[in-house]
Amino acid sequence: MTYNVTSEKAEAFINHSEIENTLAYAEAHKHDRQLVEHILEKAAQHKGLSHREAAILLACEESDLTQRIFDLAKEIKQKFYGNRIVMFAPLYLSNYCVNGCTYCPYHAKNKSISRKKLSQTEIEKEVIALQDMGHKRLALEAGEHPQHAPIDYILESIETIYSIKHKNGAIRRVNVNIAATTVENYRKLKEAGIGTYILFQETYHKENYEALHPTGPKSNYAYHTEAMDRAMEGGIDDVGIGVLFGLNTYKYDFVGLMMHAEHLEARFGVGPHTISVPRICPADDIETTDFPNAISDAIFKRIVAVTRIAVPYTGIIISTRESEKSRKEVLEIGVSQISGGSKTSVGGYAEPTPDAENSAQFDISDQRTLDEIVSWLLDLGHVPSFCTACYRMGRTGDRFMSLIKSGQIANCCAPNSLITLKEYLMDYASDNTRSKAVKMIEQEVEKIPNPKVKEIAKRNLQEIAEGKRDFRF
Ligand code: SF4
Ligand code: SF4
């Protein structure tokens, strides 16, 4: 099959020969200073790069040029996202799984892990625990299982989550990370009011993909790779892509990721809403030594920076797999969303029992509570944001993309971050975090450039202090 960015076929839009040729081209030109500088000049216009150009930046090893890559990534992050960092938490519904993914402890043959599926009453308890931490945005996670986690169970769970209002708490946006499914099921998810549909490709390398997924429906590379096309056809216009770095060579998967973004933009006029950059880490029954392609912190940082430059309009997400140190570095140069106070077990928030811990998908490197992470972000000069405004205001798909590409979304992100941070400090923050947040809000509200927006934001902040909630731009 030949490369075709708008094709419906996985092996045409993620074309193996095109990736190999791109990697060979990048290897041959990585010392070509003039070319790298030319690409950096193009990237400085903040309109993104092609997968070939991005591959050259990823391969470039000159230290001064690498510094320019990091500086540009920082500049782009600041322009499109400002200093807000959106917070979310994963919620694991069920870890029953029929697939055989060799890197995941939920794989069907693992007998040493506790299997659990939350009932609606248990979901309610989890959601209350998450609301009591201050979370407003969740990412639902579930293994693939036709009996234990059919689509109706997922839909019922979403309804339960949105219905729970505990004290001033509310989950206002539910993103969903479930197995590749049909157009009809994607339509149902859209109707249930989900935010982003997230599905990781794991690796774009077909042969390795098949070796890593020996059994179960996920072993069908084309069906998995074409999932976002079906999601778009089902009306979900915010999709989140990602690979699990370390399963395959990072350069190959990085190019695949860029080509997937180009494909969605070319075929649907809307690129990915988010890109997640998880990397392989230890877990029950999984040794990282089994994965010789596991990447270092330095390479991880470079991947984040080049992604930021190549697709400026796409949010970048990291999880608590990352250590505090690694998170700090990548927040500056590109990451716009992080999880906080996360549990990767089924039922881990309400009752963190040993049984629940034994149902975890991966080990968490950053063990801090949400309040500690909020406090730390404030110390670093970021504004922790619990904003969920866009999809609730109908800013999804191409509407969202035109706002972010023009840089206008920052006019919403900044006041929304302050308003939602104010809610957090009123309802959930420790004294220490509260006093830092108060200072941050006072300082940042004055920086809002539009006088009308500034005036409304100040009024909203006052009204939140008086007990009102849920304002948004
Ligand atoms: Fe199941 Fe997903 Fe784990 Fe694979 S990665 S075993 S599909 S839960
Ligand atoms: Fe995200 Fe939209 Fe809120 Fe900005 S305004 S933080 S893009 S939901």
Side-chain angles (χ1 to χ4, degrees):
M1 216 174 276
T2 51
Y3 176 48
N4 178 353
V5 69
T6 54
S7 171
E8 297 170 17
K9 299 276 174 231
E11 287 183 62
F13 67 79
I14 305 290
N15 182 258
H16 177 68
S17 305
E18 173 59 21
I19 299 182
E20 291 284 323
N21 291 342
T22 299
L23 294 176
Y25 175 76
E27 203 47 39
H29 291 85
K30 67 181 183 184
H31 299 299
D32 182 342
R33 244 191 129 74
Q34 218 180 345
L35 179 62
V36 174
E37 290 191 341
H38 174 72
I39 295 170
L40 281 169
E41 276 159 30
K42 180 180 171 195
Q45 293 167 19
H46 302 177
K47 290 196 174 16
L49 295 175
S50 70
H51 61 270
R52 286 214 168 198
E53 292 162 337
I56 289 185
L57 293 193
L58 192 71
C60 158
E61 287 163 359
E62 316 298 323
S63 61
D64 61 324
L65 294 173
T66 298
Q67 192 52 48
R68 281 179 60 188
I69 290 171
F70 290 146
D71 292 345
L72 182 57
K74 205 169 169 177
E75 180 188 311
I76 290 176
K77 160 117 200 266
Q78 198 55 37
K79 175 181 166 191
F80 288 92
Y81 300 89
N83 54 356
R84 58 85 174 164
I85 301 289
V86 171
M87 311 298 303
F88 76 99
L91 173 59
Y92 283 74
L93 296 180
S94 164
N95 64 359
Y96 288 95
C97 194
V98 291
N99 288 309
C101 314
T102 58
Y103 50 85
C104 173
Y106 291 177
H107 68 81
K109 288 195 184 131
N110 186 3
K111 301 290 176 223
S112 64
I113 198 164
S114 307
R115 300 282 172 177
K116 193 167 168 48
K117 167 195 174 176
L118 297 180
S119 66
Q120 297 306 310
T121 312
E122 287 170 322
I123 291 173
E124 197 174 325
K125 283 190 195 156
E126 289 288 275
V127 170
I128 288 173
L130 283 156
Q131 288 184 3
D132 282 346
M133 289 160 73
H135 279 295
K136 302 282 188 257
R137 175 188 287 246
L138 299 185
L140 278 200
E141 314 273 345
E144 180 167 12
H145 203 288
Q147 281 81 42
H148 286 292
I151 191 72
D152 288 345
Y153 168 72
I154 304 291
L155 297 171
E156 190 186 359
S157 304
I158 294 168
E159 202 180 331
T160 301
I161 294 165
Y162 278 136
S163 73
I164 298 162
K165 304 280 180 288
H166 175 68
K167 298 183 182 164
N168 281 336
I171 298 301
R172 298 172 181 157
R173 178 177 179 129
V174 178
N175 296 333
V176 173
N177 179 355
I178 59 163
T181 185
T182 58
V183 173
E184 193 193 343
N185 285 346
Y186 287 125
R187 197 162 286 128
K188 289 178 183 172
L189 287 170
K190 174 71 182 174
E191 281 161 13
I194 69 162
T196 311
Y197 172 67
I198 300 163
L199 182 70
F200 298 159
Q201 177 62 30
E202 321 296 9
T203 174
Y204 286 98
H205 191 286
K206 183 168 184 273
E207 210 176 294
N208 287 355
Y209 180 95
E210 286 167 353
L212 290 157
H213 305 93
T215 53
K218 194 169 168 180
S219 58
N220 185 335
Y221 175 83
Y223 190 75
H224 189 80
T225 311
E226 292 159 9
M228 293 314 189
D229 294 59
R230 292 193 299 282
M232 291 270 190
E233 283 162 25
I236 297 178
D237 48 7
D238 285 347
V239 299
I241 61 175
V243 295
L244 183 50
F245 281 106
L247 290 181
N248 181 50
T249 57
Y250 72 91
K251 287 182 179 168
Y252 189 102
D253 278 337
F254 174 82
V255 175
L257 201 53
M258 295 297 115
M259 286 168 73
H260 203 170
E262 287 171 337
H263 164 69
L264 294 171
E265 173 124 32
R267 183 156 181 232
F268 299 98
V270 185
H273 192 70
T274 54
I275 291 181
S276 298
V277 287
R279 51 177 165 158
I280 199 90
C281 73
D284 180 83
D285 201 29
I286 310 293
E287 296 295 333
T288 37
T289 45
D290 295 341
F291 295 94
N293 290 315
I295 56 171
S296 66
D297 285 0
I299 289 172
F300 183 64
K301 185 175 170 186
R302 179 181 282 266
I303 289 170
V304 172
V306 181
T307 304
R308 180 66 301 136
I309 292 173
V311 271
Y313 56 82
T314 295
I316 302 182
I317 305 180
I318 51 163
S319 73
T320 30
R321 283 174 201 240
E322 293 303 325
S323 66
E324 176 179 338
K325 180 175 166 286
S326 151
R327 285 179 142 205
K328 179 172 181 284
E329 292 206 6
V330 292
L331 278 171
E332 288 203 350
I333 52 151
V335 167
S336 51
Q337 248 190 72
I338 64 170
S339 50
S342 303
K343 299 279 181 197
T344 63
S345 49
V346 184
Y349 292 108
E351 288 162 29
T353 58
D355 211 30
E357 297 301 325
N358 186 35
S359 68
Q361 192 186 27
F362 56 83
D363 293 350
I364 287 172
S365 193
D366 191 340
Q367 302 267 3
R368 293 171 296 171
T369 63
L370 179 61
D371 191 72
E372 285 167 341
I373 290 180
V374 168
S375 169
W376 170 76
L377 287 171
L378 290 163
D379 286 340
L380 295 175
H382 301 291
V383 181
S385 173
F386 295 86
C387 177
T388 56
C390 276
Y391 105 98
R392 301 171 78 214
M393 303 290 282
R395 293 192 296 256
T396 63
D398 51 2
R399 217 181 137 217
F400 175 82
M401 283 301 163
S402 67
L403 286 169
I404 190 144
K405 284 181 181 172
S406 64
Q408 287 181 58
I409 199 71
N411 296 327
C412 299
C413 296
N416 283 336
S417 67
L418 303 179
I419 288 168
T420 55
L421 180 60
K422 176 84 178 189
E423 287 189 338
Y424 178 81
L425 73 86
M426 293 295 297
D427 293 336
Y428 308 105
S430 64
D431 290 346
N432 178 35
T433 304
R434 186 177 303 118
S435 62
K436 289 182 206 171
V438 167
K439 278 195 204 116
M440 176 66 88
I441 292 171
E442 278 171 7
Q443 175 192 313
E444 291 296 310
V445 78
E446 296 304 332
K447 293 186 193 162
I448 295 175
N450 181 319
K452 184 95 188 122
V453 174
K454 189 195 286 188
E455 186 199 319
I456 298 171
K458 284 186 173 175
R459 195 165 64 232
N460 291 162
L461 290 165
Q462 180 56 35
E463 286 177 314
I464 292 167
E466 290 160 7
K468 292 201 183 140
R469 295 290 178 271
D470 203 12
F471 297 102
R472 55 184 178 267
F473 285 87

